[in-house]
Amino acid sequence: MTQRSYKTMGINLKAMPMGESDRLVTVLTKEQGLVRAIAPGARKHKSKLGGRSGLFVVNDLLFVKGKSIDKLVQAETLRSFPGLSKDLAKLTASQYLAEIVLSQALTDQPQAELYYLLIEHLGRLEAATRANVLPCLVQAVFHLLVLAGVAPEVFRCCLSRSPLVPELGNPDWYAGFSVSSGGVVDMAELQRMESDRLKQIAQARSERLNRSAPSLAVHDASADYLPQSLPQSLAKPSATQPPRPGQRRRPVVSKELTANLGIVGYLSAAELALMQQLSQPELILSVASSANPKLAARSGTIEKAGTPAKMADHSEPHIMWRHIEKILRQYTQYQFDRPIRSATLIDTCFTSSTHASRV
């Protein structure tokens, strides 16, 4: 005879009204994975399940199995995160994480690692200062991707596999980020692929000209491709000289290559250095600060010792964290093949922060 009831620990990730007074809850549990159940009477004023079926409440739970959906009959609260609901940015970031967890959690299978990881990062968000909300969110997303086995490659070029070491003192150093290739792409590799493609186009054009007008083939084939290493004065056409075929094609080829590789943005040396910290258990002081002292006050990582509490509470995340979050968001949505709806509100919460941090 099958057991009709079961006990487990779980955290509420989603809740919606059902009927006149019930609530439909989605709970991430340690032993059973995702559980969707009816909390009968939870919306009544004096219901014991009312507060215990709220978002991000951790409970000891007793469920009764039903024919189509289980029923939550008893809950004893173990932990809650009241600080999340007091700050819109923290609450939105928590809902952001809940959406990702709902995308990767399994039903009827133990999910202890995911359960404890989410609780850990919710605790960090609750305790975070304003400047640290976005960095904490970004690191939590990265850790969830690691647990799911789909974290982006940030230490090597995902095309050439060559190590990538950000040149923090070089303001012109950048790396591409490809969602479909799985992470960071070396700009030298992109330039090599672009040059190879231009050579292929030049060769194909030369062959066509050779078949139609042999006398023009040699001249056009050499003009069709201009190496990237040519001096600037030679690479750019003069005001009176029309652009050569290769110069006209370079932007088209670059755009085509970017689209084919799924490149959604470019990371500066400081931004990549921050991304390379995300796999660590804890965020450390921003390496961006050592590259540019102007960024130290708004780096959006753990504040230095001696920072006044009032300043820490009202400081804003640096624009670099906004850029990293947007790139990681696109990667996450690509991996789980669904949008993160809370991200729109994240944009709203930190729009003023982005303008304020443009120093």
Side-chain angles (χ1 to χ4, degrees):
M1 185 175 179
T2 58
Q3 188 174 0
R4 287 188 52 90
S5 64
Y6 58 96
K7 288 184 176 182
T8 184
M9 289 173 59
I11 179 170
N12 305 326
L13 299 184
K14 189 176 180 181
M16 58 182 296
M18 176 163 282
E20 294 184 359
S21 60
D22 299 343
R23 183 174 287 158
L24 177 63
V25 293
T26 303
V27 187
L28 175 67
T29 69
K30 283 175 55 181
E31 296 86 359
Q32 305 292 329
L34 274 185
V35 175
R36 292 176 177 84
I38 296 292
R43 290 160 55 212
K44 291 181 178 179
H45 180 65
K46 296 184 178 181
S47 172
K48 292 183 179 180
L49 294 178
R52 296 169 186 176
S53 59
L55 284 179
F56 309 122
V57 179
V58 182
N59 295 299
D60 257 334
L61 302 161
L62 175 63
F63 293 99
V64 174
K65 292 184 177 180
K67 292 182 179 179
S68 58
I69 191 168
D70 294 352
K71 182 184 295 186
L72 174 62
V73 295
Q74 186 176 324
E76 182 179 348
T77 299
L78 302 175
R79 182 178 180 180
S80 61
F81 301 91
L84 297 179
S85 60
K86 296 177 182 178
D87 185 291
L88 180 59
K90 293 181 181 182
L91 180 60
T92 304
S94 303
Q95 292 172 333
Y96 189 124
L97 293 183
E99 286 192 57
I100 298 174
V101 170
L102 288 168
S103 299
Q104 70 182 100
L106 302 176
T107 303
D108 296 327
Q109 292 190 35
Q111 302 282 272
E113 286 184 279
L114 184 58
Y115 170 83
Y116 284 118
L117 183 63
L118 176 61
I119 290 176
E120 169 66 25
H121 282 291
L122 289 179
R124 294 186 189 186
L125 279 173
E126 185 181 38
T129 63
R130 174 75 182 186
N132 285 339
V133 170
L134 205 55
C136 285
L137 170 63
V138 170
Q139 189 181 39
V141 172
F142 196 93
H143 284 181
L144 289 173
L145 291 170
V146 170
L147 186 60
V150 294
E153 175 59 76
V154 294
F155 291 97
R156 292 179 177 271
C157 172
C158 56
L159 298 179
S160 67
R161 305 307 301 166
S162 58
L164 277 174
V165 180
E167 299 177 11
L168 293 175
N170 182 1
D172 297 323
W173 191 97
Y174 285 92
F177 191 94
S178 168
V179 295
S180 55
S181 300
V184 183
V185 178
D186 192 349
M187 294 302 293
E189 181 66 13
L190 287 176
Q191 291 175 358
R192 184 194 66 78
M193 295 176 69
E194 180 182 294
S195 297
D196 288 347
R197 178 58 180 153
L198 287 169
K199 287 179 180 179
Q200 292 174 2
I201 294 173
Q203 183 177 359
R205 188 170 187 274
S206 176
E207 291 173 355
R208 290 196 303 271
L209 288 172
N210 192 39
R211 289 193 296 268
S212 60
S215 61
L216 299 176
V218 175
H219 170 76
D220 277 69
S222 61
D224 200 37
Y225 169 68
L226 287 175
Q228 190 74 17
S229 58
L230 281 180
Q232 197 74 6
S233 59
L234 296 179
K236 290 186 176 181
S238 65
T240 58
Q241 182 183 5
R244 295 179 175 182
Q247 291 172 316
R248 292 196 302 267
R249 290 192 180 93
R250 186 176 293 277
V252 176
V253 169
S254 178
K255 186 176 181 180
E256 177 188 282
L257 185 64
T258 299
N260 291 340
L261 290 176
I263 293 176
V264 296
Y266 296 88
L267 296 163
S268 67
E271 288 168 343
L272 180 58
L274 288 174
M275 284 198 77
Q276 290 178 342
Q277 292 187 42
L278 296 179
S279 60
Q280 301 298 320
E282 300 280 349
L283 283 175
I284 59 174
L285 282 171
S286 173
V287 292
S289 303
S290 61
N292 187 347
K294 291 182 179 180
L295 304 182
R298 294 182 178 272
S299 62
T301 53
I302 308 304
E303 279 79 8
K304 293 182 179 179
T307 301
K310 291 184 179 179
M311 291 178 60
D313 288 341
H314 292 89
S315 59
E316 303 287 356
H318 192 271
I319 189 173
M320 288 190 298
W321 284 112
R322 289 290 297 115
H323 188 217
I324 292 171
E325 184 277 322
K326 285 190 174 182
I327 285 180
L328 199 59
R329 179 200 309 180
Q330 292 181 75
Y331 178 82
T332 304
Q333 292 178 148
Y334 177 86
Q335 292 297 327
F336 293 120
D337 194 24
R338 64 178 65 183
I340 301 173
R341 294 184 176 86
S342 300
T344 303
L345 194 51
I346 280 287
D347 290 335
T348 302
C349 289
F350 293 105
T351 295
S352 58
S353 305
T354 301
H355 295 304
S357 59
R358 290 183 183 273
V359 293

